Amino acid sequence: MMPPTGREHCQDAVRTSVLSRKWKYHWCRLAKWKFDESLWSTQKDKLYPTVKFRKIVYQLLTHHEGPITKFKLDITYLQECPRIDNFIFFLSRKDIQHLVLHLPPGKDELYRLPSSIFICSQLRHLNIHNCSMHHHPSACEGFDRLISLELCRVTISSELLGHLISHCPLLEKLVLKIAKTLNITEINAPMLRSFDFIGSISSICLKNVPLLAKVSLICENSSMEAEKFDYAKFFQSRSALEHLILNFRYSQFFADEAPTRLPYYLNRVKHLNLSHVELKESYTRSCAHCLIRSFPHLEYLKIEVLSRRLVYDEADSGIQESLELEHFSDVTFNHLREVEIISFSGTTPEMQLIKILLAKSPVLVKMYIDPGILIDTGSEILTELVNFHRASPEAEIDLEYYGKLELNRLETNVDGVV
């Protein structure tokens, strides 16, 4: 009988106290491990989960031989975090390269990560959830080989975070979800290519990131007030940027009124994703239009609008429409191929935006519209969409619940039934 491998091998290793010599020889030399509830949780288990966890860790510490290159610990379901200081020190001496620690959120306080984490000199990927890092920056020498770093719901000072990032010279991917407001943290990472951030955006300063190609920014403001932050300055000199994800919730994108376009072009941006866009609100709508206009080489556009059905004054809607079209009179989206609009409800601002994109996108191939729910006026909306001028003869609209609409075919049936 062949010994098990992979996940099955881990389960047998931690569940079975009496192993054959051949099986024991294999599991004690495994280089990749994953610890989670599935390894020891059975209907027959009566021990408290933390006790079982300690017994398993003790077995590993006692019998394992050789390097451990990848280790994932997922114990978020526990009510409290067991002491794992010795275990982290053990991993630091095992040439650990990929370390994932998803710890319990804790009722009173987060688990305090030991300083031995900083002596894992071979680390290339580090992913930590739910802990605190109360160390002096001098205790952190950085990670010379680290490529990706993810810190979610981690309490850390701005000084330590900035110091840690700047001492990871090969860092390419950075994910930060910092709940508490930080002081200004400088991101000094010359090899950084991807940056995902959730928190107070005004606390982040992109100082030295010449290769940054993908950015995702989500403002998480517990005070429920819009965070005032000048995105025009934030993205200045980001010449390598290609993929941008922005969340409009709690965000005020410009210090003053939204400009017609950014004072500079970001010519390499090909993907733009905007979420929580309240198009019925004039300032938010102006911000969205400004961003769309500022990326002349845009290829993919995704907008998630707030699905709020509103009643508009018909007399004002015509004036508003002429003003919106006028703002785009000098713009052509010569590279835009796909558009995705989520939570569409058929409001006037949404229809105006679709009209503009169809009229100004000569190479558009597909526009996907997802209402989220079935719209009562769906047939009227289809008829209106057919009548919109479009610059691309190949454009196809896929309206969820109604199917794909080939505009050339439907145009011939405008007077009939769509």
Side-chain angles (χ1 to χ4, degrees):
M1 180 178 179
M2 294 296 293
T5 59
R7 185 179 181 84
E8 292 181 355
H9 202 156
C10 293
Q11 290 173 333
D12 286 325
V14 298
R15 285 179 177 172
T16 308
S17 58
V18 180
L19 301 173
S20 70
R21 290 183 178 181
K22 190 173 184 180
W23 282 28
K24 185 174 181 179
Y25 175 81
H26 280 274
W27 83 255
C28 71
R29 286 173 171 77
L30 283 176
K32 297 181 181 181
W33 288 80
K34 179 180 178 180
F35 278 13
D36 59 22
E37 184 181 15
S38 65
L39 292 182
W40 58 79
S41 178
T42 68
Q43 293 181 351
K44 296 181 180 180
D45 286 332
K46 302 299 182 182
L47 289 175
Y48 187 68
T50 303
V51 176
K52 290 183 289 183
F53 171 79
R54 289 172 180 167
K55 292 172 69 70
I56 294 166
V57 169
Y58 176 78
Q59 186 178 13
L60 179 62
L61 293 175
T62 304
H63 298 288
H64 191 274
E65 301 175 7
I68 296 179
T69 57
K70 184 176 182 179
F71 188 90
K72 180 176 181 180
L73 175 63
D74 186 354
I75 52 174
T76 55
Y77 63 91
L78 292 181
Q79 294 183 359
E80 59 182 19
C81 187
R83 304 300 299 178
I84 58 173
D85 296 34
N86 291 337
F87 188 57
I88 292 178
F89 179 74
F90 168 78
L91 291 175
S92 72
R93 300 168 63 88
K94 288 288 186 175
D95 297 329
I96 186 71
Q97 297 179 18
H98 191 151
L99 179 59
V100 179
L101 299 175
H102 291 178
L103 307 178
K107 292 183 178 180
D108 300 323
E109 60 181 12
L110 296 173
Y111 175 74
R112 184 166 181 168
L113 206 64
S115 57
S116 57
I117 189 70
F118 298 123
I119 62 175
C120 298
S121 59
Q122 303 299 312
L123 272 177
R124 294 176 62 82
H125 305 276
L126 179 60
N127 183 321
I128 302 177
H129 289 201
N130 301 316
C131 76
S132 63
M133 300 176 70
H134 296 292
H135 308 90
H136 192 276
S138 61
C140 171
E141 297 182 0
F143 303 100
D144 292 340
R145 304 185 181 188
L146 197 68
I147 296 175
S148 66
L149 173 64
E150 178 173 327
L151 302 178
C152 292
R153 295 177 294 278
V154 172
T155 301
I156 185 172
S157 69
S158 298
E159 293 75 19
L160 178 57
L161 179 58
H163 180 85
L164 174 60
I165 294 172
S166 64
H167 284 73
C168 299
L170 301 183
L171 189 65
E172 296 182 4
K173 181 179 180 180
L174 177 61
V175 178
L176 298 176
K177 183 176 182 181
I178 309 296
K180 295 184 179 180
T181 302
L182 299 172
N183 296 324
I184 300 298
T185 301
E186 292 186 345
I187 307 296
N188 184 1
M191 300 298 291
L192 191 66
R193 298 179 182 274
S194 176
F195 178 44
D196 291 70
F197 180 79
I198 299 178
S200 176
I201 299 173
S202 58
S203 66
I204 295 297
C205 174
L206 298 179
K207 183 179 181 181
N208 180 24
V209 286
L211 302 182
L212 189 59
K214 180 181 178 182
V215 174
S216 174
L217 298 176
I218 300 177
C219 177
E220 191 174 77
N221 192 329
S222 59
S223 66
M224 302 296 289
E225 295 180 357
E227 180 176 11
K228 296 182 179 180
F229 183 66
D230 196 340
Y231 282 75
K233 294 181 179 179
F234 187 83
F235 290 114
Q236 195 168 7
S237 302
R238 302 281 82 81
S239 58
L241 192 62
E242 297 180 4
H243 196 142
L244 179 59
I245 302 173
L246 295 176
N247 188 297
F248 276 59
R249 191 178 186 185
Y250 308 140
S251 294
Q252 184 171 326
F253 280 80
F254 303 99
D256 301 310
E257 294 184 2
T260 303
R261 59 159 55 94
L262 295 177
Y264 48 81
Y265 283 116
L266 294 174
N267 292 322
R268 298 186 64 178
V269 174
K270 298 180 180 180
H271 297 255
L272 178 61
N273 186 329
L274 306 177
S275 61
H276 282 86
V277 182
E278 194 169 358
L279 289 174
K280 64 95 177 178
E281 203 277 317
S282 60
Y283 175 80
T284 303
R285 184 171 61 250
S286 297
C287 290
H289 289 176
C290 168
L291 292 171
I292 295 171
R293 288 170 55 93
S294 300
F295 307 126
H297 291 83
L298 195 64
E299 296 181 6
Y300 303 93
L301 173 63
K302 180 178 179 179
I303 299 179
E304 179 187 348
V305 299
L306 289 183
S307 184
R308 296 181 180 178
R309 209 68 164 99
L310 299 171
V311 178
Y312 288 87
D313 189 300
E314 292 299 329
D316 293 337
S317 63
I319 298 175
Q320 184 65 46
E321 181 176 359
S322 64
L323 290 175
E324 300 295 354
L325 289 174
E326 182 180 344
H327 289 166
F328 285 85
S329 60
D330 62 337
V331 177
T332 303
F333 304 107
N334 290 315
H335 303 273
L336 189 61
R337 297 180 59 82
E338 293 188 17
V339 175
E340 187 173 353
I341 300 178
I342 307 299
S343 298
F344 171 83
S345 58
T347 62
T348 301
E350 294 169 5
M351 296 297 286
Q352 289 173 3
L353 179 59
I354 292 175
K355 185 174 184 179
I356 291 170
L357 293 174
L358 287 173
K360 296 290 184 175
S361 307
V363 297
L364 185 67
V365 175
K366 181 178 180 180
M367 178 177 288
Y368 174 76
I369 303 174
D370 183 3
I373 59 175
L374 193 64
I375 302 176
D376 294 337
T377 58
S379 59
E380 290 83 353
I381 290 175
L382 293 182
T383 302
E384 190 171 356
L385 290 175
V386 168
N387 284 314
F388 284 164
H389 170 71
R390 69 275 184 191
S392 172
E394 304 299 326
E396 177 184 272
I397 292 183
D398 186 352
L399 181 59
E400 189 70 18
Y401 301 113
Y402 295 92
K404 296 180 180 179
L405 313 176
E406 296 176 7
L407 294 184
N408 283 334
R409 175 178 59 80
L410 286 175
E411 185 182 41
T412 60
N413 297 326
V414 171
D415 296 332
V417 178
V418 178

